[in-house]
Amino acid sequence: MSVSRTWSVVLSGLTGDLVEVEADLSNQIPGFSIIGLADKAVAEAQKRVQNACANSELALPRRHVTVNLSPANLPKRGTGLDVAVAIAAVATELALDAASLARTVHIGELGLDGRLRPVPGVLPAVVAAARAGFTQVVVPWANAAEAALVSEMHVCGAISLRDVARLHGLDVPCIDEAPVEAATSPQQEADAPELAEVIGQQDAVDALLVAAAGRHHVMMSGPPGAGKTMLARRLPGILPDLDDAAALHVAAVRSLAGMPVTALPRTPPFEAPHHTASAAALVGGGSRSAVPGAIARASGGVLFLDEAGEFGGHALNALRQPLERGVIEIHRAGFQATFPTRFQLLLATNPCPCGNYGVRGGACTCPSLAIRRYLGKLSGPLIDRVDMELHLPRVAVTAAADTDVVTTAAARDRVAAARDRAQRRLHGTGWATNSEATGEWLRSGPCAPGPAVRRPLDEALRRGALTIRGYDRVLRVAWSVADLAERDALTPADIGRALYLKRGVAE
Ligand SMILES: [Zn+2]
């Protein structure tokens, strides 16, 4: 065989494009060249491939090997093409099964010793291969479990280039080699922490259920030790489980971020970047391929910003586009990638820099200007998106005797039932949760409350105690309260509860 062909995938964000890899021999000075819009990492593949082949006793021909990557106009990035390039080059000389090569997609980087090294983004790459109609992939041994998450794909987890050659019919003896392990070992998905462990914050737990039911963004304020973080960490556990498509998306984003993936996650993700996190950690970056940051990794789940006022302007800027458009774009020299960002935002703040302002028995030492500046940082685009504000008191140890404790399992069932009810009501609107409903629909749509029910709201609006945006927020949250209470129409009590959950109504 002189021209050989096989396949690989290049990724642009979560989107994969199939690349045909052709290798040909010519009677020029012995050498190796790769053509077809390859970046530096791909161009360097020739060195890795030559060494890997030599060390695998799969000698390349002593002629000139030209490898062509097509389509030619598609930029080829990263090291994931190595295996396809190597096996195509080997097949120009040795007796490999051409049909087998042509129906297989190869993904992986080569070490100089000929072993396959794991690469990020195997899951979205295999998804792309499946969509293109391929049924067989070769991936590094360390990525095999991840690739196997794509159902009906025949996955070959190869330890070395010799394994790959043997798969395509070359008669090479099997040698016992240790596979290259992933850099980070897979973490067992920990069970979501138990809601019943939250003691003495019954009101806040109830509010968390309302937020979960309507997918409302929430601002929590309270002194240190009030349990803001504890509460936040329990939100993913009471949200509905991810369905197959959402779980595959979350897993694919983690794969691109270089996190080990061995199972489809069912609990929505929880990302809690620190306020000192860099813009790159929040937005993402990467030099050879797009590595999603915390904002993209939170999609489908919860983004928790503790000490929200301490986040700098770069973080607030980074959040603007995701909150407004539901996507985040990563721009890098030579490439750009877009990730969806449908997360639920949880903000937490102390009431002042020292944390004691307005706390019973607390002695705040902050100058009033400092307090104003501290809370002022939270105004603007972030707070504009928040439907609910929770004020958590400091819990006295003696207040630990709650009468009816809510477990995570019970809360999740109630939230799921409330979501079902909301989805039936919102059927045909294109919205899935109360937080998405527009003010106009809430005020004058088919389910709008009558004058008697909305009287307290109308009066607050007339007095100037509520803006029209605040009015709409109260209606949104009121529907989540009603959904949890299994009511099909709003009552004055639902409105009252929602008004309470939107304290600081005078905006
Ligand atoms: Zn203070």
Side-chain angles (χ1 to χ4, degrees):
M1 189 177 1
S2 98
V3 179
S4 61
R5 291 186 177 83
T6 190
W7 295 89
S8 192
V9 178
V10 292
L11 289 171
S12 168
L14 288 168
T15 313
D17 289 296
L18 274 287
V19 173
E20 187 173 32
V21 179
E22 292 173 295
D24 190 18
L25 288 181
S26 60
N27 289 324
Q28 297 165 354
I29 304 163
F32 199 108
S33 49
I34 299 177
I35 55 174
L37 214 57
D39 80 347
K40 193 156 173 281
V42 177
E44 287 168 356
Q46 56 175 288
K47 281 286 163 211
R48 289 191 297 274
V49 166
Q50 283 175 314
N51 283 289
C53 289
N55 290 325
S56 306
E57 292 166 43
L58 298 168
L60 290 172
R62 292 191 56 78
R63 293 158 73 191
H64 193 93
V65 181
T66 302
V67 173
N68 182 40
L69 309 174
S70 57
N73 59 355
L74 181 74
K76 323 293 186 308
R77 284 185 298 270
T79 52
L81 298 171
D82 282 7
V83 177
V85 170
I87 205 69
V90 166
T92 57
E93 177 99 333
L94 300 175
L96 270 64
D97 179 346
S100 172
L101 282 172
R103 64 169 179 264
T104 304
V105 174
H106 298 83
I107 300 159
E109 177 181 330
L110 277 176
L112 297 180
D113 59 1
R115 290 186 300 165
L116 272 64
R117 310 178 67 87
V119 288
V122 163
L123 183 56
V126 176
V127 167
R131 289 208 179 121
F134 286 90
T135 55
Q136 173 158 290
V137 291
V138 170
V139 299
W141 181 88
N143 293 129
E146 177 181 332
L149 295 176
V150 180
S151 51
E152 294 173 29
M153 180 61 80
H154 180 254
V155 175
C156 170
I159 293 173
S160 69
L161 193 55
R162 293 165 66 90
D163 282 356
V164 184
R166 201 177 306 110
L167 175 79
H168 297 302
L170 190 69
D171 185 20
V172 281
C174 190
I175 44 176
D176 198 17
E177 286 178 288
V180 180
E181 305 274 355
T184 43
S185 55
Q187 295 153 329
Q188 214 60 19
E189 198 184 348
D191 284 339
E194 175 54 55
L195 190 63
E197 290 167 2
V198 179
I199 304 294
Q201 294 285 18
Q202 206 55 44
D203 195 41
V205 168
D206 285 349
L208 197 69
L209 262 71
V210 175
R215 224 169 158 278
H216 302 288
H217 298 325
V218 180
M219 165 76 154
M220 297 186 282
S221 82
K228 302 187 291 288
T229 303
M230 191 178 185
L231 210 56
R233 289 195 175 279
R234 281 153 181 79
L235 178 56
I238 67 173
L239 295 173
D241 278 352
L242 300 174
D243 62 19
D244 285 350
L248 199 61
H249 172 81
V250 170
V253 171
R254 285 181 185 168
S255 168
L256 272 184
M259 299 157 77
V261 175
T262 52
L264 285 184
R266 291 300 170 184
T267 302
F270 180 83
E271 289 289 332
H274 192 256
H275 61 78
T276 56
S278 65
L282 291 169
V283 176
S287 54
R288 288 172 172 176
S289 59
V291 179
I295 293 172
R297 293 200 306 271
S299 193
V302 176
L303 182 67
F304 176 50
L305 304 185
D306 197 6
E307 300 183 53
E310 300 290 328
F311 280 81
H314 70 283
L316 303 183
N317 276 334
L319 280 162
R320 188 162 307 180
Q321 185 193 40
L323 284 169
E324 283 169 6
R325 294 186 35 216
V327 294
I328 192 164
E329 286 167 357
I330 299 178
H331 295 274
R332 277 288 179 278
F335 71 92
Q336 171 186 338
T338 303
F339 294 93
T341 53
R342 277 181 43 82
F343 54 77
Q344 192 172 353
L345 184 65
L346 271 186
L347 304 173
T349 183
N350 291 335
C352 68
C354 87
N356 285 322
Y357 181 72
V359 176
R360 207 174 336 134
C364 174
T365 53
C366 307
S368 60
L369 185 66
I371 298 176
R372 269 214 304 282
R373 197 182 297 135
Y374 186 77
L375 296 175
K377 284 196 211 165
L378 280 168
S379 58
L382 277 193
I383 211 77
D384 274 356
R385 300 276 158 179
V386 166
D387 280 343
M388 295 171 56
E389 290 178 27
L390 283 183
H391 298 264
L392 278 77
R394 183 171 281 151
V395 180
V397 182
T398 48
D402 279 343
T403 42
D404 39 13
V405 170
V406 186
T407 64
T408 293
R412 188 169 52 229
D413 287 349
R414 285 188 58 202
V415 167
R419 289 264 184 116
D420 283 349
R421 188 173 287 271
Q423 271 162 25
R424 283 199 297 276
R425 180 175 60 254
L426 297 169
H427 183 76
T429 63
W431 307 314
T433 56
N434 294 328
S435 63
E436 296 159 75
T438 60
E440 197 194 342
W441 189 88
L442 291 161
R443 279 177 267 120
S444 48
C447 305
V453 173
R454 50 167 220 258
R455 183 165 302 129
L457 282 182
D458 290 340
E459 278 168 12
L461 187 65
R462 206 160 34 239
R463 281 202 314 274
L466 203 58
T467 62
I468 193 68
R469 287 164 67 124
Y471 188 108
D472 296 341
R473 282 196 192 108
V474 171
L475 283 179
R476 252 178 229 123
V477 174
W479 273 115
S480 298
V481 174
D483 288 334
L484 277 172
E486 302 177 11
R487 277 194 286 275
D488 285 323
L490 287 183
T491 66
D494 300 327
I495 303 261
R497 175 71 178 152
L499 268 168
Y500 172 78
L501 291 171
K502 179 74 191 89
R503 264 184 292 203
V505 278
E507 294 179 46

